[in-house]
Amino acid sequence: MGTLAPGAQGTENVMRSVNVAVVGATGAVGDEFLRLFELRKYPIKSLKLLASERSAGKKLKFAGKEYTVEKLTAESFKGVEHAFFSAGGSISKEFAPAAAKAGAIIIDNTSAFRYEKEIPLVVPEINPEDAFRYGERRIIANPNCTTIVALMPTFPLHRKFGLKRAVMSSYQAISGAGAQAMAELEQQLRDWAAGRPMTVKIAPKQIAFNVIPRIDVVTDNGYTKEEMKFLWEGQKIMHHDSLRATATCVRVPVLRSHSVSLNLEFEKPVTPEQAREVLKAAPGVVVQDDPKADVYPIPLERTMKNEVGVGRIRQDISVEGNRGLCLWAVGDQLMKGAALNAIQIGELLLSK
Ligand SMILES: NC(=O)c1ccc[n+]([C@@H]2O[C@H](COP(=O)([O-])OP(=O)(O)OC[C@H]3O[C@@H](n4cnc5c(N)ncnc54)[C@H](OP(=O)(O)O)[C@@H]3O)[C@@H](O)[C@H]2O)c1
């Protein structure tokens, strides 16, 4: 585990080019795919942009060319080699088999397949070798956005000091709920400024000037599914079945980039200085840690950045024997939490 494939962090590779489809091309994540394909020079031979009937015929620009969005059907995948899905779990469940049958490898941004034993769940900086275990179903799952942001600094520390237990609290941007939710926050702010009543349609409560402690459905144990994902996915990605973890996930009125507070308890003692050294050497992580000078990662400054920022690194004084750390991490969830991670998986496949 842990060896990053050459080029997976954005260096240009000489790779064979592939026929690509994006399912959900008109959404918040779809938009990011198009921006990052161009920025990273993803070796695209042909590109198919798929969405629902609502958006069929819409024109989207990619690499200076106009593309027409097509309605997704089971016949959409003829000749497609890499199919990036980001249109919701039910769409992935319905159409991934058709894409696989047509010969595509599916890199799925939804939670549809993440918890199936034979489906790999991959963060290229953590478990790159799992990407090649897509098997007959030809599906690789991209993890939950908050889980990726939290695991990027957690995994290098786990490898060195042995993680026993993690407590994670999230501060999640509204774009995590999609393009319409992002537009809803902007509209609420415009309405407030104009003295008009605000409308709530997408988020469960008004998000402007508020925080909402419920993301995804509430499960039978009282946790939300978003919170359980941190445990389920953390164990699977890090191959760490005995990991104990708990989370509280909260939506905040931030447009983009998720923040997490982490309390990590290790097998071995670890000082903040040792942690900084480990994190400085970790791929995809940038240490921003001088709080007295106001140096720490924040959503506005991590937006549109590849790396997850980590700061506020300190000894957790509630854990005996210097075996605990507190961290604060921020990452652009539309990038490393979604499109960037998925593209890195594609690049990893093409690098072999
Ligand atoms: N936003 C994030 O930060 C984030 C991060 C990680 C993973 N994800 C996951 O990625 C997926 C998409 O999220 P998003 O935030 O991009 O949502 P979004 O902004 O609401 O976009 C949804 C996309 O799916 C398409 N779609 C909806 N119903 C469809 C159908 N019946 N057939 C074909 N396409 C359909 C939409 O097309 P139309 O234009 O036709 O409606 C749109 O392109 C979700 O599963 C989400 O959980 C999101």
Side-chain angles (χ1 to χ4, degrees), residues 24 26-29 51-52 54-55 86-88 91 109-110 175-176 178-179 333-334 337-338:
T26 52
V29 177
S52 79
R54 287 180 295 273
S55 296
S86 64
I91 306 295
N109 264 290
T110 78
S175 54
Q333 97 289 349
L334 287 170

Side-chain angles (χ1 to χ4, degrees), residues 222-240:
Y223 282 76
T224 63
K225 197 170 165 208
E226 186 81 357
E227 291 159 352
M228 291 308 298
K229 288 171 189 173
F230 177 59
L231 172 66
W232 298 332
E233 300 184 22
Q235 288 180 334
K236 183 168 175 175
I237 296 163
M238 297 195 291
H239 295 273
H240 186 357

Side-chain angles (χ1 to χ4, degrees), residues 14-46:
V14 180
M15 302 182 218
R16 73 184 177 89
S17 56
V18 279
N19 299 318
V20 170
V22 179
V23 178
T26 52
V29 177
D31 202 38
E32 241 358 75
F33 270 119
L34 297 190
R35 193 178 71 80
L36 290 174
F37 281 149
E38 193 165 353
L39 196 69
R40 295 175 74 85
K41 300 188 167 50
Y42 201 75
I44 293 178
K45 203 191 304 175
S46 72

